[in-house]
Amino acid sequence: MSGINYSEKIPNNVNLVGDRTLQRALEHWQPHFLQWWHEMGPTDFEKADVYLRTAISVDASGWAHYGAVKMPEYRWGIFLADAVPERKIGFGDAMGQPVWQQVPGEYRSTLRRLIVTQGDTEPASVEQQRLLGHTCPSLYDLRNLFQVNVEEGRHLWAMVYLLHAYFGRDGREEAEELLARHSGDSDKPRILTTFNEPVSDWLSFYCFTYFTDRDGKYQLKSFAESGFDPLSRTCRFMLTEEAHHMFVGETGISRVVKRTLEVMKELGTDDPARIRAHGAVDLPLLQKYLNFWCSSSLDLFGSEISSNSAQNFASGLKGRPDESQYEDHVLRNASFNMTTPQGTETVPMLNALNEVMRESYLKDCEIGLKRWNRQIERAGFDLRLALPSSRFRRSIGAWAGLPVDPQGRLIDKSVFEQNLGSWVPSAADRAFVHSLMHKVAEPGKMAAWIAPPERGINNLPVEYEYVKLH
Ligand SMILES: [Fe+2]
Ligand SMILES: [Fe+2]
């Protein structure tokens, strides 16, 4: 069941040969996807041999194969985690009923919108990162970028499969639209703001994979709970791939911190100007990048108080991440104390689920912060990195557009405006970071602003030639 058939045009474990109409529709979409990859994917690396992992099974043990692949020849396919026999809906008003194998008519448009919104983020991130290869700090990093890129491409396939298989003509039209919107495009932008922000330097890339891919993890976890079983199974397998994306972010930032601490020790100073002059990223600058990407990603969870989230939960479409950790799965009698600029109010728990999800996301984000701060502490420096308050720089929800500092305090608008450049990267900060970005493409060599990784990929040495450029 979980084996993947690679002899077909589209590798899959969904028995695509058994549904000729669906197979034809997807084979029709495939060249459009490849054209999109060619135009909007990583620029100028189509001939390179990249040491990539490809999914070959959905078993927890040994699901991936590693080997040199030219990216346009990557086997993007459709893989669902194995069905859980007799699976029941685990939350909401239909709790305990059998899960749905087809889309219930009354939830059709809501489910389609949820799938399209998730699907839109996948190609968006590939577009955002398409120029990064030209300034890679090492071949190891270049390979990780491309690994993330091809897997986001596969995540698009995952969502397009659902659209084609379960939403008829509407679904096929949405699948075309997923290739027609582009990140940052003024006419046809991607749906969510964070996915229209440029990711034009590697510090942003590590922050994006740390914070924004982690939002992805939380969205996928909540869809893994869905009563619509094909969505649940699709997302459960996507989570396996997603873990690596966040690893790239966490270890990337950790290596930047390590290198900066070396420079600080060498120079015997924490003076940002001297650290920058030495070609490294000072920690206050890193803090600004963390503030920017964390606050932007927090918006992705939506408004603090939301009737959509209440409906999606009550109807069994979207649960809470790790739903089984909670005791009450219906929430009709539960409430939540919500602090808004107007004060603290008690709202029905069902309407507060975006906030519940945002809080568990922030807890997950803290893990990296603790690790980086331990590095700084061990090196004997006092500075500590921190997550910004979830009220800081919000564009959606109760705190949208309000002058709040990174500690979460409402402050005077003029004070906010004066200080914003010290809380998120200023134009000068970005220009400095860009000035550090030079391609390092000799096996085993690293750019001067980042430490080498602790180990290579799949037990290979760090010096391995992970990308063979031709
Ligand atoms: Fe993804
Ligand atoms: Fe991802």
Side-chain angles (χ1 to χ4, degrees), residues 218-288:
Y218 274 74
Q219 302 299 336
L220 295 176
K221 270 176 169 281
S222 65
F223 287 133
E225 304 290 338
S226 181
F228 179 44
D229 204 40
L231 175 60
S232 162
R233 292 174 57 199
T234 303
C235 291
R236 267 187 282 141
F237 184 64
M238 289 163 78
L239 280 164
T240 324
E241 294 163 312
E242 203 60 56
H244 172 70
H245 308 180
M246 283 167 291
F247 163 87
V248 169
E250 178 174 341
T251 54
I253 295 173
S254 175
R255 289 161 54 210
V256 172
V257 170
K258 187 176 174 198
R259 178 63 196 138
T260 301
L261 292 169
E262 286 168 6
V263 170
M264 286 163 73
K265 274 190 171 169
E266 206 182 304
L267 300 178
T269 181
D270 59 4
D271 176 12
R274 292 193 55 204
I275 294 162
R276 288 190 190 195
H278 208 79
V281 175
D282 54 292
L283 297 176
L285 176 56
L286 172 60
Q287 179 66 62
K288 292 185 192 184

Side-chain angles (χ1 to χ4, degrees), residues 118 122 151-152 155 213 238 242 245:
Q118 177 62 39
E122 315 288 358
E151 284 175 352
E152 299 304 4
H155 291 175
D213 281 89
M238 289 163 78
E242 203 60 56
H245 308 180

